Amino acid sequence: MIDSLNGEVIAIGLDHAVIECAGVGYRFMATPPTLGRLTRGENARVLTAMVVKEDSMTLYGFTDDDGRSMFHRLTTVSGLGPKLAMASLSVFEPAELAGHITAGDSKAIQAIPGVGKKMADRLILELKDKLKGVYAAPAAEGDASGAATAATASASFATEQVVEALVGLGFPEKSARTAVGAVVEEDPEVDSSALLRAALNRLGKK
């Protein structure tokens, strides 16, 4: 099993990066926040998790053990695969997600692209007890405005993630924020993956 990679970053894509270790380039899937912390040509260390299927072996990269451990926990949920686990970590930090799950906040969890009410309820049912005390949960909201506040915070966090990813790809922060802001203005409910693609498209036209 490959537990971590430490070497030069030789490529960064929309959802992956490649780190060269001892002459071998290892491609791994990662979230925008993780990709945003990488820079081509510089050395970096990422923790990894390998998912083996009948027809593939895929590496997933994380900046810290909290992200990796949450990834492993999420993939134990019935019907929730690695792709959806990564989408979850693209929207929420591990502690934030754990807080929503232990609080039973199904509506906040549905901010994750591809997660509907049924999957959100399943996450709560299967992980609520397992996550208690593992992460520091965010403060609970006591009224109906809590859900709206959580949704706004999630959207803002996703925007910052995409800006980080674009800066990591070599774009100036000012240009990245302008492009991301324009996309969000056109579609306030755009998910982080679509936001990253649309912002890259705008920056590529300049």
Side-chain angles (χ1 to χ4, degrees):
M1 177 181 288
I2 300 173
D3 188 70
S4 66
L5 300 173
N6 190 352
E8 182 183 348
V9 179
I10 60 175
I12 301 174
L14 291 175
D15 57 0
H16 70 277
V18 179
I19 287 181
E20 186 176 274
C21 303
V24 179
Y26 293 87
R27 177 186 172 119
F28 59 92
M29 310 302 290
T31 62
T34 296
L35 295 172
R37 294 183 176 96
L38 302 177
T39 303
R40 279 194 195 92
E42 294 187 3
N43 274 28
R45 180 176 184 269
V46 296
L47 302 182
T48 59
M50 179 178 284
V51 175
V52 180
K53 297 183 179 180
E54 289 184 2
D55 58 349
S56 67
M57 289 191 299
T58 306
L59 272 179
Y60 295 87
F62 310 89
T63 55
D64 55 45
D65 198 53
D66 280 353
R68 183 168 62 178
S69 65
M70 178 59 83
F71 173 82
H72 284 308
R73 291 174 188 276
L74 289 170
T75 54
T76 66
V77 175
S78 306
L80 197 155
K83 186 175 181 180
L84 201 52
M86 294 300 278
S88 302
L89 293 171
S90 292
V91 175
F92 296 113
E93 289 284 354
E96 287 181 300
L97 182 55
H100 292 313
I101 291 172
T102 55
D105 193 344
S106 175
K107 191 165 185 179
I109 297 170
Q110 289 175 59
I112 301 167
V115 173
K117 187 178 186 306
K118 187 177 292 186
M119 178 56 75
D121 290 342
R122 190 180 301 163
L123 271 165
I124 293 168
L125 177 65
E126 297 188 24
L127 294 182
K128 186 174 183 177
D129 291 337
K130 296 178 182 178
L131 292 176
K132 283 181 179 177
V134 177
Y135 302 95
E141 298 289 344
D143 54 34
S145 66
T149 301
T152 300
S154 297
S156 177
F157 185 66
T159 297
E160 288 302 313
Q161 289 178 324
V162 173
V163 170
E164 283 184 15
L166 291 170
V167 171
L169 290 169
F171 293 102
E173 183 175 349
K174 184 176 180 181
S175 298
R177 288 192 180 280
T178 299
V180 169
V183 175
V184 172
E185 187 175 352
E186 291 179 358
D187 183 4
E189 297 183 3
V190 64
D191 64 62
S192 56
S193 297
L195 176 56
L196 181 57
R197 288 194 298 270
L200 277 169
N201 187 48
R202 281 179 173 274
L203 289 166
K205 291 178 179 178
K206 293 184 178 181

